Amino acid sequence: MPLGKVKAYPLLGVIWGLWHAPLILVGFNYPGFPIAGVFMFVLFTTALSVLMSELTLKYQSVILAGWIHGVLNSQGYGIWRVIVPDAQPLLGGVAGLIGIIAIGIIAYLIVRFDGYRVGSRT
């Protein structure tokens, strides 16, 4: 990887987030918050790019990344919109602050403990 992970993952996340900016600006994902929505979606895709890129590199396959993307897309407008219809989009949901923090923690743990095995001395 020419840029290295530290530079490549955030760059990928920003490009991926800005790719979706036209949809966000017309009210998708964050209705009523077009500018803040673009910013939040860039944060979301940046956290998600770390997670998905690490898993893609670890397992040398894009299948898992494609599955994660599909699951997140389906859940964005899945049962959670029915259970919590009044959730504030910048805070709740998978692409809100709570989801970004959760994905960020999972991504951090995967990066931090990759290769660690219970009982090993590494």
Short mmCIF file of all heavy atoms in Angstrom, two decimals, residues 9-21 24 30 35-49 95 100:
data_model
loop_
_atom_site.label_atom_id
_atom_site.label_comp_id
_atom_site.label_asym_id
_atom_site.label_seq_id
_atom_site.Cartn_x
_atom_site.Cartn_y
_atom_site.Cartn_z
N TYR A 9 -6.52 4.97 4.78
CA TYR A 9 -7.86 4.75 5.34
C TYR A 9 -8.66 6.05 5.45
O TYR A 9 -9.81 6.10 5.01
CB TYR A 9 -7.79 4.05 6.69
CG TYR A 9 -7.32 2.62 6.64
CD1 TYR A 9 -7.07 1.93 7.81
CD2 TYR A 9 -7.11 1.94 5.44
CE1 TYR A 9 -6.64 0.61 7.80
CE2 TYR A 9 -6.68 0.63 5.42
CZ TYR A 9 -6.44 -0.04 6.61
OH TYR A 9 -6.03 -1.33 6.59
N PRO A 10 -8.11 7.11 6.03
CA PRO A 10 -8.89 8.36 6.08
C PRO A 10 -9.18 8.93 4.69
O PRO A 10 -10.27 9.44 4.44
CB PRO A 10 -8.02 9.32 6.89
CG PRO A 10 -7.09 8.46 7.65
CD PRO A 10 -6.88 7.22 6.82
N LEU A 11 -8.22 8.84 3.78
CA LEU A 11 -8.45 9.33 2.42
C LEU A 11 -9.58 8.57 1.76
O LEU A 11 -10.46 9.16 1.13
CB LEU A 11 -7.16 9.21 1.60
CG LEU A 11 -7.25 9.69 0.15
CD1 LEU A 11 -7.59 11.17 0.08
CD2 LEU A 11 -5.94 9.40 -0.58
N LEU A 12 -9.59 7.25 1.89
CA LEU A 12 -10.66 6.44 1.35
C LEU A 12 -12.00 6.84 1.96
O LEU A 12 -13.00 6.99 1.25
CB LEU A 12 -10.39 4.96 1.62
CG LEU A 12 -11.49 3.97 1.24
CD1 LEU A 12 -11.74 4.01 -0.25
CD2 LEU A 12 -11.11 2.58 1.71
N GLY A 13 -12.03 7.05 3.28
CA GLY A 13 -13.26 7.44 3.96
C GLY A 13 -13.80 8.78 3.48
O GLY A 13 -15.00 8.94 3.27
N VAL A 14 -12.92 9.74 3.29
CA VAL A 14 -13.34 11.07 2.83
C VAL A 14 -13.87 10.99 1.40
O VAL A 14 -14.93 11.56 1.09
CB VAL A 14 -12.18 12.09 2.95
CG1 VAL A 14 -12.52 13.39 2.24
CG2 VAL A 14 -11.84 12.35 4.41
N ILE A 15 -13.17 10.28 0.53
CA ILE A 15 -13.63 10.14 -0.86
C ILE A 15 -14.97 9.43 -0.89
O ILE A 15 -15.91 9.85 -1.59
CB ILE A 15 -12.58 9.39 -1.71
CG1 ILE A 15 -11.34 10.26 -1.89
CG2 ILE A 15 -13.17 8.98 -3.06
CD1 ILE A 15 -10.15 9.53 -2.50
N TRP A 16 -15.11 8.37 -0.12
CA TRP A 16 -16.34 7.59 -0.08
C TRP A 16 -17.49 8.45 0.46
O TRP A 16 -18.60 8.44 -0.07
CB TRP A 16 -16.11 6.37 0.80
CG TRP A 16 -17.19 5.36 0.85
CD1 TRP A 16 -18.27 5.22 0.01
CD2 TRP A 16 -17.31 4.31 1.80
NE1 TRP A 16 -19.03 4.15 0.40
CE2 TRP A 16 -18.46 3.57 1.50
CE3 TRP A 16 -16.53 3.90 2.90
CZ2 TRP A 16 -18.87 2.47 2.24
CZ3 TRP A 16 -16.93 2.81 3.62
CH2 TRP A 16 -18.09 2.10 3.30
N GLY A 17 -17.23 9.22 1.50
CA GLY A 17 -18.25 10.10 2.06
C GLY A 17 -18.68 11.20 1.11
O GLY A 17 -19.87 11.48 0.95
N LEU A 18 -17.71 11.84 0.46
CA LEU A 18 -18.03 12.92 -0.48
C LEU A 18 -18.74 12.38 -1.72
O LEU A 18 -19.52 13.11 -2.35
CB LEU A 18 -16.77 13.70 -0.85
CG LEU A 18 -16.16 14.52 0.29
CD1 LEU A 18 -14.87 15.19 -0.15
CD2 LEU A 18 -17.15 15.53 0.84
N TRP A 19 -18.48 11.12 -2.07
CA TRP A 19 -19.18 10.49 -3.18
C TRP A 19 -20.69 10.50 -2.93
O TRP A 19 -21.49 10.64 -3.84
CB TRP A 19 -18.66 9.06 -3.35
CG TRP A 19 -19.40 8.25 -4.36
CD1 TRP A 19 -20.44 7.40 -4.13
CD2 TRP A 19 -19.18 8.22 -5.77
NE1 TRP A 19 -20.87 6.82 -5.30
CE2 TRP A 19 -20.10 7.32 -6.33
CE3 TRP A 19 -18.28 8.87 -6.61
CZ2 TRP A 19 -20.16 7.04 -7.69
CZ3 TRP A 19 -18.33 8.59 -7.96
CH2 TRP A 19 -19.26 7.69 -8.49
N HIS A 20 -21.08 10.35 -1.66
CA HIS A 20 -22.49 10.32 -1.28
C HIS A 20 -23.05 11.72 -0.99
O HIS A 20 -24.25 11.84 -0.71
CB HIS A 20 -22.68 9.45 -0.04
CG HIS A 20 -22.50 7.99 -0.31
ND1 HIS A 20 -21.26 7.39 -0.36
CD2 HIS A 20 -23.40 7.00 -0.55
CE1 HIS A 20 -21.41 6.10 -0.61
NE2 HIS A 20 -22.70 5.83 -0.74
N ALA A 21 -22.23 12.74 -1.04
CA ALA A 21 -22.66 14.10 -0.67
C ALA A 21 -23.89 14.58 -1.44
O ALA A 21 -24.79 15.18 -0.82
CB ALA A 21 -21.51 15.09 -0.84
N ILE A 24 -26.91 13.18 0.30
CA ILE A 24 -27.07 13.75 1.64
C ILE A 24 -27.63 15.17 1.53
O ILE A 24 -28.51 15.56 2.31
CB ILE A 24 -25.73 13.76 2.40
CG1 ILE A 24 -25.09 12.37 2.46
CG2 ILE A 24 -25.89 14.35 3.79
CD1 ILE A 24 -25.86 11.32 3.16
N TYR A 30 -29.89 12.10 6.50
CA TYR A 30 -29.96 13.14 7.53
C TYR A 30 -30.96 14.22 7.11
O TYR A 30 -30.58 15.36 6.86
CB TYR A 30 -28.59 13.79 7.75
CG TYR A 30 -27.49 12.81 8.05
CD1 TYR A 30 -26.67 12.30 7.04
CD2 TYR A 30 -27.25 12.39 9.35
CE1 TYR A 30 -25.66 11.40 7.31
CE2 TYR A 30 -26.23 11.49 9.64
CZ TYR A 30 -25.44 11.01 8.62
OH TYR A 30 -24.44 10.12 8.89
N ILE A 35 -25.82 20.06 5.40
CA ILE A 35 -24.37 20.33 5.54
C ILE A 35 -23.78 19.48 6.67
O ILE A 35 -22.76 18.82 6.48
CB ILE A 35 -24.11 21.83 5.79
CG1 ILE A 35 -24.73 22.68 4.67
CG2 ILE A 35 -22.63 22.10 5.95
CD1 ILE A 35 -24.21 22.37 3.28
N ALA A 36 -24.43 19.50 7.82
CA ALA A 36 -23.96 18.67 8.94
C ALA A 36 -24.02 17.19 8.55
O ALA A 36 -23.17 16.40 8.97
CB ALA A 36 -24.79 18.93 10.19
N GLY A 37 -25.00 16.83 7.74
CA GLY A 37 -25.14 15.45 7.29
C GLY A 37 -23.95 15.00 6.45
O GLY A 37 -23.47 13.88 6.61
N VAL A 38 -23.48 15.86 5.57
CA VAL A 38 -22.31 15.51 4.75
C VAL A 38 -21.11 15.30 5.67
O VAL A 38 -20.36 14.32 5.53
CB VAL A 38 -22.01 16.60 3.69
CG1 VAL A 38 -20.66 16.36 3.03
CG2 VAL A 38 -23.12 16.65 2.66
N PHE A 39 -20.92 16.19 6.62
CA PHE A 39 -19.80 16.06 7.57
C PHE A 39 -19.91 14.75 8.35
O PHE A 39 -18.93 14.00 8.49
CB PHE A 39 -19.78 17.25 8.52
CG PHE A 39 -18.74 17.15 9.59
CD1 PHE A 39 -17.40 17.33 9.30
CD2 PHE A 39 -19.11 16.86 10.90
CE1 PHE A 39 -16.44 17.22 10.29
CE2 PHE A 39 -18.16 16.75 11.89
CZ PHE A 39 -16.82 16.93 11.59
N MET A 40 -21.10 14.44 8.86
CA MET A 40 -21.30 13.22 9.64
C MET A 40 -21.10 11.98 8.77
O MET A 40 -20.53 11.00 9.23
CB MET A 40 -22.70 13.20 10.26
CG MET A 40 -22.89 14.20 11.37
SD MET A 40 -21.82 13.92 12.78
CE MET A 40 -22.58 12.46 13.46
N PHE A 41 -21.55 12.03 7.53
CA PHE A 41 -21.40 10.87 6.67
C PHE A 41 -19.93 10.64 6.33
O PHE A 41 -19.49 9.49 6.20
CB PHE A 41 -22.24 11.00 5.40
CG PHE A 41 -22.55 9.66 4.79
CD1 PHE A 41 -23.50 8.83 5.34
CD2 PHE A 41 -21.87 9.23 3.66
CE1 PHE A 41 -23.78 7.58 4.79
CE2 PHE A 41 -22.14 7.99 3.09
CZ PHE A 41 -23.10 7.16 3.67
N VAL A 42 -19.16 11.70 6.19
CA VAL A 42 -17.72 11.55 5.96
C VAL A 42 -17.07 10.90 7.19
O VAL A 42 -16.21 10.01 7.05
CB VAL A 42 -17.06 12.89 5.60
CG1 VAL A 42 -15.54 12.81 5.69
CG2 VAL A 42 -17.49 13.34 4.21
N LEU A 43 -17.48 11.30 8.38
CA LEU A 43 -16.98 10.65 9.60
C LEU A 43 -17.37 9.17 9.62
O LEU A 43 -16.56 8.29 9.96
CB LEU A 43 -17.51 11.34 10.85
CG LEU A 43 -16.98 12.71 11.17
CD1 LEU A 43 -17.66 13.27 12.42
CD2 LEU A 43 -15.47 12.68 11.36
N PHE A 44 -18.62 8.89 9.26
CA PHE A 44 -19.13 7.52 9.22
C PHE A 44 -18.33 6.67 8.24
O PHE A 44 -17.87 5.57 8.59
CB PHE A 44 -20.61 7.54 8.84
CG PHE A 44 -21.20 6.20 8.55
CD1 PHE A 44 -21.33 5.24 9.53
CD2 PHE A 44 -21.64 5.90 7.27
CE1 PHE A 44 -21.88 4.00 9.25
CE2 PHE A 44 -22.20 4.67 6.99
CZ PHE A 44 -22.32 3.71 7.98
N THR A 45 -18.14 7.15 7.02
CA THR A 45 -17.43 6.36 6.03
C THR A 45 -15.95 6.23 6.37
O THR A 45 -15.32 5.23 6.02
CB THR A 45 -17.60 6.94 4.61
OG1 THR A 45 -17.22 8.31 4.60
CG2 THR A 45 -19.03 6.77 4.12
N THR A 46 -15.39 7.21 7.06
CA THR A 46 -13.99 7.11 7.47
C THR A 46 -13.83 6.01 8.52
O THR A 46 -12.93 5.18 8.42
CB THR A 46 -13.48 8.46 8.00
OG1 THR A 46 -13.60 9.43 6.95
CG2 THR A 46 -12.03 8.37 8.43
N ALA A 47 -14.71 5.99 9.52
CA ALA A 47 -14.66 4.92 10.53
C ALA A 47 -14.90 3.57 9.87
O ALA A 47 -14.21 2.59 10.15
CB ALA A 47 -15.69 5.18 11.62
N LEU A 48 -15.86 3.53 8.97
CA LEU A 48 -16.19 2.28 8.30
C LEU A 48 -15.08 1.82 7.36
O LEU A 48 -14.84 0.62 7.21
CB LEU A 48 -17.51 2.44 7.54
CG LEU A 48 -18.21 1.17 7.11
CD1 LEU A 48 -18.46 0.24 8.29
CD2 LEU A 48 -19.51 1.52 6.42
N SER A 49 -14.36 2.77 6.76
CA SER A 49 -13.28 2.39 5.85
C SER A 49 -12.14 1.71 6.60
O SER A 49 -11.50 0.79 6.07
CB SER A 49 -12.76 3.59 5.06
OG SER A 49 -11.98 4.45 5.86
N ALA A 95 -25.53 5.63 11.09
CA ALA A 95 -24.71 6.71 10.52
C ALA A 95 -24.74 7.97 11.37
O ALA A 95 -24.21 9.00 10.97
CB ALA A 95 -25.17 7.03 9.11
N ILE A 100 -21.28 5.92 14.64
CA ILE A 100 -19.90 6.24 14.28
C ILE A 100 -18.96 5.85 15.42
O ILE A 100 -17.90 5.26 15.19
CB ILE A 100 -19.76 7.73 13.92
CG1 ILE A 100 -20.52 8.03 12.63
CG2 ILE A 100 -18.29 8.12 13.78
CD1 ILE A 100 -20.70 9.51 12.35
#
